[in-house]
Structure formats: structure tokens, C-alpha cells
Amino acid sequence: MIDAYEEDVIEQDILEPIEDIGKVSIIIPFYNTKDYIEECLHSVLEQTYENLEIIIVNDGSAEEDTAFLEQILPEDSRIVYVESEKHKGVASARNIGLNVSTGRFLYFLDSDDVITKNAIELLTKYIKDNQLIVGTTKRLNKPLDLMNITLRNKSKVLVIKKLFMVFKNRSVLNMLIRRDVFNDTESCSFYEGTNCFTDISLLVKLISKIEKISVIKQPIYYKRRRNDPITNPSVMQLSNEIKTKDFITIYEYLHEIYRNNEKVIRYLDLLFLNFYRKNIVLLFKDIEKVDQFFENIAIAAKRLSRRALSNQPLHIRLEMKQLRNENIKKYKKSIKTHLEIRSLRQGLKSLKKFKIYCYRKFFIKMPFKENYIVFESFLGKNYSDSPRDIYEYMVDNNLDYKYVWIFNDKHKKIPGPAKVVKRFSFKYYYYLGVSRYWVSNSRIPMHIDKRKENIYLQTWHGTPLKRLVFDMKEIYSANPNYKKNFYIQSRRWDYLIAPNKYSSEIFKSAFLFEKNMLETGYPRNDILYRDNQPKKINDIKAKIGIPLDKKVILYAPTWRDDDFYAAGKYKFNLKLDLQKMKEKLGEDYVIALRMHYFIADEIKTDGVEDFAFNLSKYDEIAELYLISDILITDYSSVFFDYANLKRPILFFAYDLEKYRDKLRGFYINIEEDVPGPVVKTSNDVINSILNIEDVQHQFKEKYDDFYARFCSWHDGNSTEKVVKQVFLESN
């Protein structure tokens, strides 16, 4: 139970005069956060409480970031800008800010976070006679429109006496602290010996001096979750190895200084035990890390008080005893048992987790099947794309391999000798665990660990128009861990296929890919050279049910990152007026709708069924390229493949500015470089189709240049080149 009580709160109208109880010094360290500082600074300058001193400490940022910061700093007498010559870390920057501050109150804010415009007003209103007040912090997973936050100048306020409950998160952010809590003769500085956990050095000073804390139960501080912990991590997104080293260092340092302060020692010991269970135990999944960290952790464990250990589970007390006795041999056995039991408990929580447990515990330790290949296309949705071409080539050439295809539907029928396995079944995990080769055009799930002996061929599925992964600044998708997850999953790729030189260079930067790039062209495009003949085209039309006497318009748009129901579940609002298209074009054309696999279930064709064919779940889009006379797309990469046919392409980019400037950004200038007109309305689309010969003539020279740049690697033999390099020459 939290030892707390609620104070009576009187509603204060936001239009009433705000009581000025003294200057508040807001200290903002800045280090290479130009993508966020403008939003942060705006949230501070807009505060309803105006008696502020805004101290921005540039902690040795790069020239580009420094120039940006200095450019956006407004002419405001409340701003104090301090620049450090060298990067020394957040603790140093805060100490510099403390040294120049003159406010009666102190408030710390990170440069990638934001506060509501009445944040300081509420804190000053409710601090009353207390030395410290804390606001509620909310996680910010995506860009925030502060104007849409409902502001209330009335809130529940808790007064908490068990300070450990508030300080458990080890952060000084969103705290309004009276400067006079510290004596004139003593320092309130941050420890500069580590990168991480430096806040603890100030928190222990506060614990030693105060008896209670007021807490405002209203979100006023929005803590950004950085979406790129790989190339631009926040301090707390650094590796577990770094965090463990830093935590032990600061724990040792503060434990020695406060060795006679029972209250602080108890807090430090509770932090250590909590960190041990959440971080150190997981670090030791790699048993070799025990040798690296054992000595320092053992020294720290010897400082633990009996009181701190008394409430711990038996296995933690045993591990602490072995650490304190410096018995590394017994400790390794205990930690392995600890992790085994933790893994089993996790595995017993659900059937899916039990399958994952079996995969990690048993399947990846079984004898290897050297000639087994697992194929998957678009997360098991269909039998298509480059994996299909590679499989069919190997079967047709009687190569000595066993084949497994992964599908969501276990009853899926495909040609050849492949074994069909349902995705996420026990067999799925078994074959991924024992097969030497994996072939996929999308990412295999995070929880699938890869054996060192595995060879993973990532075929990918397009030439990039939209910026990808690490070439994107912000992520607007439903998954805030997108970049981190992508990085982990892509480290497993041994081979990656590039369709052209342009893509090869982008894949290296966007995916941070450093292994084997196969500059062969996509196997899936071989069909565009091999089967581009009337009989093949008519056979496909007949199979689908499209009239042979009608020309075909293929509409293949992409998905929108910011339009979703939940993580992995995207929406799509069809902007093409199918009814009007039927009226104007229906005598000569039909339209085939092929949506991105994320949005395949979102399209309805009620009322135009004889004109519009929803082929979003048709297995092979290359066959739809072959039967179509015109392609309409937007920002999908399909037009790079379709250009191999040298047929007309229209770009229906009704939300171009939003998609280009906010959601993704492009690698090429879509208004200048694409081989067809960019249009924004259904009428424009219809008029372009009615005058398609003029369009072709107008864009002929641009189309020829485009073909030379993006299609020249394709000659109908890409599949053969890939198979030879991965499956024949690598053996």
C-alpha cells in the first residue's frame, strides 16, 4: 500500500490571474536532438506560468544540430543559452545549468520531451509549503499535437510519504524542487562518472532531506520514446551491458558516500535488487557475460543489507549469497536454473508461448537438416513473389533439396513436392528450427532465433520509392519499436537481393546491411520477360474471369503508415470513383484492384462487380502486370517492376504533400522523375486514360531513362543467378 492521502482540490478557472510564487529555472540539456528540440522549446515558451528562466545547455552537439538550435532560438529574455565545447554527458549539462540558474525552483526537462502549457502553473499552484512536487508523466510513442490535449487546471493531488514509490523510476524529470531544500554550502550536483542513472545522485540527496512528496494525478509531461534506439538512442536506450556497468558504478559510489544514512542505503539496495532482476539476469542469458561482470556485481552484492535481502525470493537470496561468497561456479548453475524456470513459466502462459518455448528449448538443438529449405511469402498470405520463382526453378531443375512452404491456410494447394505447413503451428517452429535455409520476402518474427548454421535469403519485395527504416526520421506507424525490431530481424539476413544499383545503395543505408548483396534483379520479374506473349496473357485472364475483349487497368496503391486500427492492422479509404470510371471507361476497360497485403481486406466493390475485380488476394501480382494495359499506383514500388513491360503508368497521388512531407518522404522526386503523369482526382485519372496515347508520347523520353536506371539488371535470368550464388556456390 502507498502511504498517501488526497488533498482537497479547488477548481481554478484558467482565465483567473495566476499567482506568481517565484522564478522557476527550467534546465534543458541538448545533445544532437534537432529533430525534437523545436517542439520541446515551443511547449516551454507557451507556459501559462511566465516567471521562467529557460536554461538550454548545448552539450557539445554536432555542428548541424548546434546550427539548427541557434537558428530557432527566439529573442526571449527568459532564455539562457550555454554551449559546452565537448560532449560530457547529461549529468555535466545539468550541472552547468544548475550553476547558472537563479530561480527559486528547479525543473528538469529533456530536449526530446514536451510539457503541457499549464504544467508549471499546476506544479507551482499545488506545491504549497512542500519542498517537492511531482507531475504525472505519460509515454509519448508518436508525434504529439499539443493543441489537442485537454487542459485541466484542476487535479487530484496525492501526498506520499513512502518516497521510494515515487523515486523507483530513478528520474528527476517532471519534479518541481525548491532550491532552498539544499543548504547554501552543499552541492546539489549530478554524478558525472557514468552516462546512465545519473539522476540517482540527486534523488538520494532529496530522500535524505524530505519526508513527503505531493503528486499531481494529471498528465503534464510527455516522455518521448525514441523510435531509433540503434543510430540515435536516448541514454536509457543504450545496451544492457553499458547500463549494467554504469548502474554498478553509481551504486558503489553512492553507497560509500551515504553508508551511514539508513534511509538512502535502503533506497539504493532496493534499486540494486530491482535492477538485478530486470536487467542483470537477462544480461546473463549469454552465460559468457557472467565472467565479464561477476567480479563487479559480487562487490556490489556484498554491500546489500540483511533487511534488503529479507523480503527477496529464495532463489534471489541464494544468488546473492553466491555472489557475496564469490563462488562463480555455483552462481553460473543457479543463474542457468533461474533463466530456465523463467523461460518455462513464460512458455506455460499460452499455447503460442509454449510453441516458442519448444522452439528455443528443443527444436533449434535438434540435428540439422542440411538440404531443407523453408519458403514464405508475405507472412504466409500467398504463394507468390521471388520465393515462388526460386522454388519453382529449383523443382524444375531437380535440385537435391526438400521444400517446406509456410501458409496461414494449412490446406493451401501448390505445385510440386513441397510440404505445406501452417504458420505458427508446432510444425512451423520445428521446420524453422531444423532447416538449413530460410527464404522469405518479408521479416520472420522477432521471437524466431536463428542458428549460426542457418542461411537466410531475404528476397525483399520492391524498389524503394518511400524512405525506409533508418532513412526515416520519425515513425508514424502503429509500432513505436519499428526501427529497433527491424534492426534485430535484419541482422539475421545472410543474403539480400537488389533489383538495381539504386536499390543496392539504399538497402545498405536504410537496412544497415553489410552482408551479401545479390545484385541480380528480382526473380519475380523473370516472368515479365518469359511470359509476355498473347497466349500466356489470355490464359491468365481466363483463369481470373476477366473478359478477353476488355483492356485491363491495374490499380495497385500502397498503405498509409498513420491510418490504422492497431499495430499491424491498417485501414484504406478508396479515393478512386469506380462508378464514374465505369460510366466513362467501362465499354473498353475493366479495373483490377490489387491492394498492399496490409490492407487487402479493406476494399469493397459493391455495385461495380462487372467492372472492378478485387484481386488483392491473388497470389502473383506479376501475372496481373502481364494482363494489364495501364497501371495506376501512388507511392507503391510496383511501378518499378511494371516498367519492365514499358506500358503506361499513372500516378494517382491525391495526398502527395502529406505523404512526402510528413509520413515518409521519397528517395526520388516523384513530380519530376517518374515515367508518367502525377494526378490528384478521379477525373484526372479518367482523362489520362481516355488520352493514353498522348500520355505515352509525352513521357517516352522520361520512360526510356527510367527503364535504363531501374530495369537494366533484369533479363529473365535473375532466378538462375540467385540460386547459383546461394544454393550451389555456397555449398
Side-chain angles (χ1 to χ4, degrees):
M1 291 290 290
I2 297 177
D3 185 4
Y5 60 90
E6 292 184 12
E7 286 194 346
D8 293 331
V9 176
I10 301 174
E11 184 174 3
Q12 173 181 316
D13 194 303
I14 199 166
L15 298 178
E16 290 182 359
I18 298 169
E19 182 183 0
D20 186 342
I21 65 171
K23 185 190 292 183
V24 176
S25 295
I26 300 180
I27 299 172
I28 308 173
F30 173 85
Y31 178 66
N32 292 347
T33 50
K34 67 181 179 63
D35 294 335
Y36 314 115
I37 185 61
E38 194 166 13
E39 190 176 35
C40 171
L41 189 56
H42 175 76
S43 73
V44 175
L45 293 170
E46 293 295 311
Q47 288 299 300
T48 53
Y49 188 89
E50 296 182 347
N51 191 359
L52 303 176
E53 179 181 56
I54 305 165
I55 303 171
I56 303 170
V57 182
N58 185 350
D59 181 33
S61 295
E63 289 184 12
E64 181 182 359
D65 289 73
T66 296
F68 180 82
L69 172 62
E70 293 175 351
Q71 178 184 347
I72 67 166
L73 285 180
E75 292 291 334
D76 192 312
S77 60
R78 298 174 299 173
I79 292 179
V80 178
Y81 176 56
V82 184
E83 186 173 4
S84 176
E85 292 183 2
K86 296 171 63 177
H87 173 57
K88 297 181 181 179
V90 66
S92 173
R94 285 178 176 163
N95 286 336
I96 292 172
L98 284 169
N99 289 335
V100 302
S101 65
T102 61
R104 184 183 177 193
F105 298 90
L106 302 171
Y107 186 82
F108 298 98
L109 172 65
D110 280 350
S111 60
D112 50 0
D113 300 337
V114 291
I115 53 178
T116 60
K117 66 180 183 181
N118 64 341
I120 304 300
E121 177 190 347
L122 286 173
L123 292 169
T124 56
K125 174 182 176 182
Y126 292 121
I127 194 169
K128 297 184 179 178
D129 295 329
N130 295 320
Q131 295 166 309
L132 173 67
I133 187 169
V134 182
T136 296
T137 298
K138 191 171 183 179
R139 180 67 69 180
L140 177 59
N141 288 330
K142 59 182 180 179
L144 175 71
D145 183 359
L146 287 172
M147 299 302 293
N148 290 332
I149 295 177
T150 302
L151 297 177
R152 293 179 291 118
N153 263 37
K154 163 185 169 179
S155 177
K156 281 186 177 179
V157 179
L158 298 181
V159 178
I160 298 177
K161 295 181 179 178
K162 289 189 176 179
L163 307 187
F164 302 153
M165 300 302 297
V166 179
F167 292 164
K168 187 178 179 181
N169 69 352
R170 308 179 297 243
S171 175
V172 300
L173 297 175
N174 204 16
M175 291 182 177
L176 188 68
I177 308 168
R178 287 185 187 274
R179 183 184 290 275
D180 59 14
V181 71
F182 307 102
N183 298 328
D184 293 338
T185 58
E186 67 177 356
S187 168
C188 58
S189 61
F190 292 85
Y191 175 64
E192 298 184 18
T194 62
N195 288 313
C196 306
F197 307 113
T198 58
D199 290 21
I200 300 174
S201 54
L202 182 58
L203 293 177
V204 295
K205 292 180 186 293
L206 294 171
I207 284 176
S208 67
K209 291 180 173 295
I210 62 179
E211 299 298 327
K212 62 182 180 179
I213 305 173
S214 295
V215 178
I216 295 179
K217 299 300 289 181
Q218 175 181 332
I220 60 173
Y221 189 110
Y222 286 80
K223 179 70 181 168
R224 187 183 302 274
R225 183 174 187 170
R226 295 270 192 98
N227 60 44
D228 187 359
I230 306 303
T231 64
N232 185 25
S234 65
V235 171
M236 293 314 295
Q237 287 176 323
L238 295 173
S239 70
N240 203 5
E241 288 89 340
I242 293 174
K243 288 194 287 187
T244 297
K245 179 179 177 294
D246 281 1
F247 183 86
I248 296 302
T249 298
I250 199 165
Y251 172 78
E252 284 276 303
Y253 171 77
L254 294 173
H255 216 284
E256 180 62 27
I257 291 177
Y258 290 91
R259 59 185 179 276
N260 296 321
N261 189 318
E262 183 180 349
K263 195 175 177 184
V264 170
I265 293 301
R266 184 181 172 210
Y267 171 66
L268 290 172
D269 287 351
L270 289 174
L271 285 186
F272 175 85
L273 289 166
N274 187 56
F275 185 85
Y276 176 81
R277 296 177 69 173
K278 290 186 176 181
N279 293 78
I280 295 175
V281 171
L282 292 180
L283 177 65
F284 289 163
K285 280 186 175 181
D286 181 355
I287 201 66
E288 294 179 2
K289 292 282 193 280
V290 175
D291 295 310
Q292 181 181 345
F293 287 92
F294 184 83
E295 183 178 349
N296 289 334
I297 295 174
I299 292 172
K302 290 178 182 179
R303 291 186 177 274
L304 287 168
S305 67
R306 292 185 179 274
R307 180 179 179 182
L309 286 170
S310 62
N311 294 324
Q312 295 299 308
L314 178 60
H315 65 283
I316 297 295
R317 297 203 304 270
L318 176 62
E319 289 164 19
M320 290 301 117
K321 180 180 179 181
Q322 291 162 348
L323 282 165
R324 289 150 75 101
N325 291 337
E326 300 184 25
N327 193 328
I328 190 171
K329 187 175 181 180
K330 286 186 176 180
Y331 180 78
K332 282 184 175 181
K333 290 182 179 179
S334 294
I335 205 69
K336 287 179 72 173
T337 303
H338 183 160
L339 289 166
E340 287 284 352
I341 293 172
R342 178 182 286 196
S343 177
L344 178 59
R345 284 178 177 171
Q346 187 71 16
L348 294 175
K349 288 183 177 180
S350 69
L351 179 58
K352 181 178 179 179
K353 289 180 178 179
F354 182 65
K355 293 173 184 175
I356 297 171
Y357 173 78
C358 290
Y359 174 81
R360 292 173 173 168
K361 180 67 177 175
F362 304 112
F363 298 158
I364 61 174
K365 297 177 183 178
M366 288 182 172
F368 220 44
K369 296 182 181 294
E370 290 286 345
N371 67 336
Y372 272 61
I373 309 173
V374 175
F375 291 90
E376 184 182 87
S377 179
F378 295 117
L379 309 179
K381 293 179 184 290
N382 47 38
Y383 174 65
S384 64
D385 209 66
S386 293
R388 167 180 168 169
D389 289 89
I390 292 168
Y391 163 70
E392 291 186 350
Y393 176 90
M394 297 181 78
V395 170
D396 291 345
N397 285 274
N398 299 312
L399 298 184
D400 185 22
Y401 288 91
K402 301 291 184 181
Y403 308 103
V404 177
W405 263 94
I406 305 298
F407 291 106
N408 295 328
D409 179 5
K410 67 179 180 180
H411 301 296
K412 181 77 174 180
K413 301 295 183 184
I414 64 171
K419 184 178 185 64
V420 173
V421 169
K422 182 175 173 58
R423 197 166 189 250
F424 297 137
S425 65
F426 275 107
K427 288 183 178 179
Y428 166 84
Y429 288 104
Y430 168 75
Y431 282 110
L432 282 174
V434 301
S435 299
R436 178 168 176 77
Y437 296 95
W438 298 348
V439 180
S440 175
N441 65 353
S442 55
R443 289 175 287 151
I444 289 175
M446 283 273 293
H447 61 263
I448 302 295
D449 298 329
K450 178 175 176 281
R451 293 167 78 156
K452 291 181 180 179
E453 302 90 345
N454 275 124
I455 294 177
Y456 183 176
L457 167 60
Q458 172 57 247
T459 69
W460 202 239
H461 49 265
T463 294
L465 167 65
K466 307 178 290 284
R467 291 195 176 275
L468 298 172
V469 200
F470 292 102
D471 288 342
M472 299 167 66
K473 289 184 178 180
E474 280 287 355
I475 299 293
Y476 288 78
S477 75
N479 184 2
N481 290 319
Y482 175 71
K483 286 188 177 182
K484 176 183 176 182
N485 292 353
F486 198 107
Y487 181 80
I488 294 171
Q489 289 167 296
S490 61
R491 295 317 88 189
R492 305 165 183 169
W493 303 349
D494 297 296
Y495 294 91
L496 174 61
I497 300 177
N500 42 57
K501 189 66 178 176
Y502 157 90
S503 297
S504 180
E505 295 304 316
I506 288 173
F507 288 166
K508 291 172 186 175
S509 66
F511 300 156
L512 304 181
F513 185 74
E514 298 177 344
K515 294 185 182 178
N516 302 297
M517 188 75 72
L518 301 179
E519 297 183 332
T520 58
Y522 282 142
R524 72 183 189 183
N525 287 335
D526 285 352
I527 188 177
L528 304 181
Y529 294 86
R530 184 183 67 239
D531 293 348
N532 188 10
Q533 48 187 290
K535 184 178 185 310
K536 290 283 189 180
I537 291 171
N538 285 336
D539 287 347
I540 298 170
K541 279 187 173 182
K543 180 173 65 173
I544 295 172
I546 290 177
L548 300 184
D549 60 339
K550 292 290 182 74
K551 296 178 182 178
V552 177
I553 304 163
L554 175 62
Y555 180 42
T558 191
W559 51 292
R560 269 64 178 167
D561 303 57
D562 65 337
D563 202 4
F564 52 82
Y565 300 107
K569 296 182 179 180
Y570 289 87
K571 307 176 185 177
F572 187 78
N573 184 13
L574 187 66
K575 299 292 185 179
L576 270 184
D577 189 335
L578 296 181
Q579 188 64 49
K580 184 177 287 188
M581 291 186 72
K582 178 182 177 182
E583 293 171 7
K584 299 290 186 180
L585 305 170
E587 186 174 338
D588 298 314
Y589 291 94
V590 295
I591 186 167
L593 305 175
R594 173 60 180 230
M595 304 300 155
H596 191 280
Y597 64 96
F598 280 174
I599 53 173
D601 297 323
E602 292 296 315
I603 303 304
K604 308 298 180 188
T605 58
D606 300 343
V608 289
E609 294 90 345
D610 59 338
F611 172 72
F613 295 77
N614 187 0
L615 302 178
S616 297
K617 294 186 177 181
Y618 188 80
D619 274 348
E620 187 51 75
I621 193 173
E623 293 185 356
L624 302 184
Y625 296 156
L626 282 174
I627 67 170
S628 62
D629 299 274
I630 300 170
L631 171 69
I632 304 172
T633 186
D634 46 15
Y635 325 113
S636 170
S637 66
V638 296
F639 70 90
F640 290 100
D641 295 326
Y642 191 80
N644 284 279
L645 295 169
K646 298 187 177 180
R647 298 175 190 172
I649 305 172
L650 308 178
F651 295 86
F652 182 40
Y654 54 85
D655 56 352
L656 174 60
E657 289 77 14
K658 177 184 178 184
Y659 205 98
R660 177 191 61 207
D661 301 334
K662 179 183 177 184
L663 291 185
R664 282 289 191 101
F666 301 128
Y667 289 109
I668 64 174
N669 187 332
I670 195 170
E671 294 172 287
E672 298 292 334
D673 298 335
V674 295
V678 178
V679 297
K680 294 191 175 183
T681 69
S682 291
N683 286 337
D684 291 338
V685 171
I686 292 168
N687 289 334
S688 294
I689 294 173
L690 290 173
N691 298 282
I692 199 64
E693 291 182 3
D694 292 339
V695 169
Q696 284 182 281
H697 178 74
Q698 178 185 351
F699 283 89
K700 183 181 185 309
E701 184 177 344
K702 186 173 288 188
Y703 208 132
D704 290 342
D705 292 342
F706 187 89
Y707 182 93
R709 182 181 181 190
F710 296 106
C711 304
S712 59
W713 283 4
H714 291 99
D715 57 4
N717 298 304
S718 295
T719 307
E720 180 181 1
K721 296 172 188 175
V722 169
V723 170
K724 284 183 176 179
Q725 290 188 54
V726 177
F727 299 97
L728 302 180
E729 293 177 5
S730 66
N731 288 334

